[in-house]
Amino acid sequence: MTLDSIVPFGRSLLEYQRMFNLSPQDLGQRILGCGDGPASFNAELHQLGCDNVISIDPIYAVGGEVIQQRFEQVVDDIIAQVKATPEDWVWRDHHDPEALRRHRLQTLQMFLQDYELGRQTGRYQVASLPTLPFADQQFDLALCSHLLFLYSDHLDYTFHLDSIQELCRVATQVRIFPLITLALQRSPYIDALRPTLADRGITSDIIPVAYELQKGGNEMVVFSQKI
């Protein structure tokens, strides 16, 4: 997979649960979704009566029509690349590339139906790493899906280091998925970051998860600040 920039491709609540091993107890905590884009995670939890999630992304500076346009600009190329590399994908959660397209579109539509209300009530906020506008330990759990590590060719080591430290400042625990890049290689930053962060009081564990779409992308890393 080759992408020129970070794309607005969102995941669903079920995907978040599987990517991050989220338990019912986890879903009841104060959650920060970092780089959520057009994910339906926040929208679906809101439908279930849970308003404990704040999603942040720089794309929230624009309206829903623009977000939909940006999705439409990239989706055909992404699905074409998926079809051209069939051995790079695990078709368990999604049956085939066209089923993946339909799921991403459904996720986008759920997000868009919730977006304007969510912006008004503060569930969707404009913010971006590596500096966040939140108080220390404002959240119990920060989730970062398909941003850090995945875009290692776009975001350098220093960005990853500063971003993880900032996430650990605002949340008691940080979970990041996946640990591989767009080229299906383990991010070169993981093994370099972990001892540096450990020296700064941030522990880490790599944990297998139930979700796998990119082949080999079935692990998350959990960071926690020592208190």
Side-chain angles (χ1 to χ4, degrees):
M1 177 72 66
T2 302
L3 298 173
D4 294 331
S5 61
I6 297 170
V7 298
F9 239 44
R11 277 80 187 173
S12 65
L13 170 59
L14 179 59
E15 288 178 294
Y16 269 62
Q17 289 174 292
R18 290 168 64 77
M19 290 186 301
F20 295 113
N21 286 353
L22 293 174
S23 67
Q25 291 74 27
D26 290 332
L27 293 174
Q29 297 189 82
R30 299 169 299 165
I31 299 174
L32 174 67
C34 186
D36 276 352
S40 61
F41 172 66
N42 196 324
E44 291 184 74
L45 282 178
H46 176 67
Q47 287 181 352
L48 295 172
C50 301
D51 287 335
N52 54 313
V53 180
I54 292 178
S55 296
I56 60 167
D57 199 296
I59 204 171
Y60 299 154
V62 301
E65 289 185 2
V66 177
I67 295 175
Q68 182 168 356
Q69 289 170 2
R70 293 185 184 178
F71 171 87
E72 291 171 350
Q73 288 168 358
V74 300
V75 63
D76 287 342
D77 175 63
I78 291 173
I79 297 302
Q81 289 195 55
V82 171
K83 289 180 177 179
T85 54
E87 286 140 16
D88 291 350
W89 308 90
V90 177
W91 299 113
R92 183 174 59 240
D93 292 273
H94 308 283
H95 296 302
D96 56 39
E98 287 304 323
L100 176 63
R101 180 203 294 270
R102 290 191 297 271
H103 186 78
R104 292 287 172 263
L105 181 58
Q106 180 184 38
T107 297
L108 172 70
Q109 293 305 320
M110 285 190 286
F111 161 78
L112 291 173
Q113 290 168 12
D114 182 61
Y115 181 49
E116 288 306 326
L117 174 62
R119 281 212 289 183
Q120 294 169 20
T121 58
R123 287 187 292 109
Y124 299 105
Q125 299 186 21
V126 180
S128 58
L129 293 169
T131 304
L132 301 177
F134 301 115
D136 293 357
Q137 303 300 293
Q138 183 170 335
F139 302 93
D140 301 303
L141 185 58
L143 307 175
C144 187
S145 158
H146 294 84
L147 176 63
L148 296 175
F149 301 129
L150 182 70
Y151 286 96
S152 291
D153 289 341
H154 297 72
L155 307 170
D156 64 16
Y157 172 88
T158 300
F159 181 90
H160 279 75
L161 178 62
D162 292 344
S163 295
I164 293 168
Q165 289 185 123
E166 181 73 344
L167 287 167
C168 288
R169 179 186 69 80
V170 303
T172 304
Q173 187 182 93
V174 177
R175 302 181 192 181
I176 301 173
F177 175 91
L179 306 188
I180 60 173
T181 67
L182 291 165
L184 304 183
Q185 302 297 315
R186 184 181 176 89
S187 171
Y189 302 140
I190 295 172
D191 293 333
L193 282 167
R194 294 180 70 197
T196 300
L197 290 165
D199 289 342
R200 301 179 186 185
I202 296 174
T203 63
S204 61
D205 293 289
I206 293 175
I207 298 173
V209 300
Y211 186 87
E212 184 179 10
L213 179 57
Q214 290 174 284
K215 190 171 287 186
N218 58 356
E219 293 178 315
M220 69 170 171
V221 60
V222 179
F223 292 102
S224 302
Q225 180 84 52
K226 292 180 182 177
I227 299 175

